[in-house]
Amino acid sequence: MTQTMELGNLQKPGLGPKLKAFVRRRTEGRAVILLAVISLVVVFYEPLVFTAYPVTLGRIALIGLVALGLTAVILMGELDLSVASTLAASGVIVAVIPDLRIAIPVALLTGIAVGIVNAFFVAIVGIASFIATLGMLFGLSGLAFVLSGEVPVNLQNQDAGILFSQPVLGPLTPRILLFLLVFIALQLFVTRMKAGREFFAVGGNRQAAYDSGIPVKRRIFTGFIISGFVSALAGVIYTLTLTTASPDAGSNVLLSSFAAAIIGGNYLKGGKGSIVGTLLGATALGMLQTTFLMSGIQVPVQNTLIGAILLLAVITDPTSLRALIEKLRSALSKRAKVAPS
């Protein structure tokens, strides 16, 4: 009996192998590791990040909102570069229309319209999403500058903006609560609803998705509408929080949101990823940006460091590494065959 128990204990894997298996199996593995590393750096370098709740959580919410919308598109193997200008244009709309009861719905409807136009060019016309959304990025950016007169615009209802920035549940402001609601909604959508789960099928093998009867074009429309709506919501929140709108407000958000989605384990070619991973990636980058802010590091340097982290995340993707290893093995095998005896 004792020998049987001892053999059973010997056969049980330790914590190390279990952790390695979890990291390999879950798409969020890299995000967990990065979040742990950044947390340790922050503890020793700028511990105020953990006590400055409004600043840190606000930064996470801004990056995370746009990144969550992007994730819906990336899961299908598409890109949406227009999220930054959607944020800027919707924010300007909120500022230039005096009545917030009209301004906010108009801004959100603008985001939905942007998503529909993007999806039309991608799913119906057949233009690559990179090109279609790049054109939309420039178009919306121009619209934001025209509406604002090329200068920042103050929110006319300043009292509403100030009220919007007040905590309503502990340290949580409406901005952060809206971010959490969007996260929960998208997490339930892609894990519990058939339409959301089909995003993975569309990104994994589009032809197989067509053959199995999945309405691929409809799913592409859904994904881009989600991305446009969430980006517009981020613009509304941004303007209400700062009580001013700038036509170039989203210029620093695009890189951070893409980095959060990719670090979170979302595969650029589609078919693999998770909303939870994006949340982890946004949390890591939000903490890092808050550390930069408190340390007085300039924005160009911040973007350089975030770009380096994004590059590291891409080249350390397990799928990319396996493909690279296979290519190297193939090249070495061919060289060995042609080498003289």
Side-chain angles (χ1 to χ4, degrees):
M1 181 69 175
T2 305
Q3 291 179 349
T4 303
M5 291 178 64
E6 290 177 353
L7 287 173
N9 291 333
L10 289 173
Q11 291 172 353
K12 290 181 179 179
L15 180 61
K18 287 183 178 180
L19 181 60
K20 289 180 180 179
F22 172 80
V23 171
R24 290 174 182 173
R25 184 176 68 253
R26 299 294 301 177
T27 59
E28 305 93 346
R30 284 176 300 160
V32 172
I33 294 172
L34 179 66
L35 180 58
V37 171
I38 288 178
S39 298
L40 288 175
V41 171
V42 171
V43 165
F44 291 103
Y45 186 69
E46 197 65 66
L48 286 176
V49 170
F50 292 107
T51 56
Y53 298 119
V55 178
T56 305
L57 292 177
R59 177 60 58 176
I60 292 171
L62 177 62
I63 297 172
L65 259 180
V66 181
L68 287 173
L70 271 173
T71 303
V73 175
I74 293 174
L75 289 176
M76 295 185 292
E78 304 291 352
L79 295 174
D80 187 357
L81 301 182
S82 66
V83 291
S85 54
T86 303
L87 183 153
S90 61
V92 170
I93 288 172
V94 170
V96 297
I97 298 178
D99 191 345
L100 288 179
R101 293 172 296 181
I102 299 174
I104 292 175
V106 169
L108 296 178
L109 286 173
T110 299
I112 293 174
V114 169
I116 292 173
V117 173
N118 284 336
F120 173 79
F121 283 113
V122 174
I124 306 300
V125 180
I127 299 175
S129 58
F130 178 87
I131 302 299
T133 58
L134 181 63
M136 181 63 75
L137 182 150
F138 287 113
L140 284 175
S141 179
L143 176 64
F145 276 94
V146 169
L147 291 176
S148 65
E150 301 184 10
V151 294
V153 182
N154 291 326
L155 184 68
Q156 300 201 28
N157 191 340
Q158 293 282 316
D159 292 337
I162 295 171
L163 184 63
F164 187 80
S165 300
Q166 300 302 312
V168 294
L169 185 63
L172 303 181
T173 62
R175 174 184 188 176
I176 298 163
L177 290 175
L178 284 171
F179 165 62
L180 293 175
L181 286 174
V182 171
F183 163 73
I184 293 170
L186 284 180
Q187 174 66 10
L188 292 175
F189 177 70
V190 301
T191 59
R192 302 294 182 184
M193 296 183 65
K194 180 183 176 183
R197 293 196 300 271
E198 288 175 346
F199 279 24
F200 294 93
V202 173
N205 190 324
R206 186 157 299 184
Q207 187 57 50
Y210 273 114
D211 296 339
S212 62
I214 293 175
V216 174
K217 293 180 180 180
R218 193 185 306 168
R219 296 295 165 259
I220 292 174
F221 269 89
T222 303
F224 275 103
I225 289 172
I226 290 173
S227 180
F229 175 82
V230 173
S231 298
L233 177 63
V236 171
I237 292 172
Y238 193 72
T239 296
L240 289 175
T241 302
L242 298 181
T243 67
T244 186
S246 175
D248 60 351
S251 57
N252 296 321
V253 176
L254 182 62
L255 177 62
S256 300
S257 57
F258 260 106
I262 303 307
I263 289 168
N266 295 287
Y267 189 37
L268 275 175
K269 293 184 178 180
K272 184 178 72 172
S274 75
I275 300 298
V276 173
T278 299
L279 174 66
L280 293 173
T283 302
L285 286 179
M287 290 171 55
L288 189 61
Q289 285 194 342
T290 305
T291 302
F292 291 155
L293 180 66
M294 292 182 174
S295 302
I297 297 176
Q298 298 298 317
V299 172
V301 178
Q302 294 183 31
N303 290 338
T304 301
L305 295 174
I306 292 173
I309 293 172
L310 177 58
L311 178 61
L312 181 64
V314 171
I315 63 177
T316 56
D317 178 74
T319 305
S320 301
L321 287 177
R322 283 195 294 269
L324 178 61
I325 292 171
E326 288 299 322
K327 288 182 179 179
L328 289 175
R329 285 177 178 173
S330 177
L332 291 173
S333 176
K334 289 179 180 179
R335 288 190 61 183
K337 289 180 180 178
V338 300
S341 302

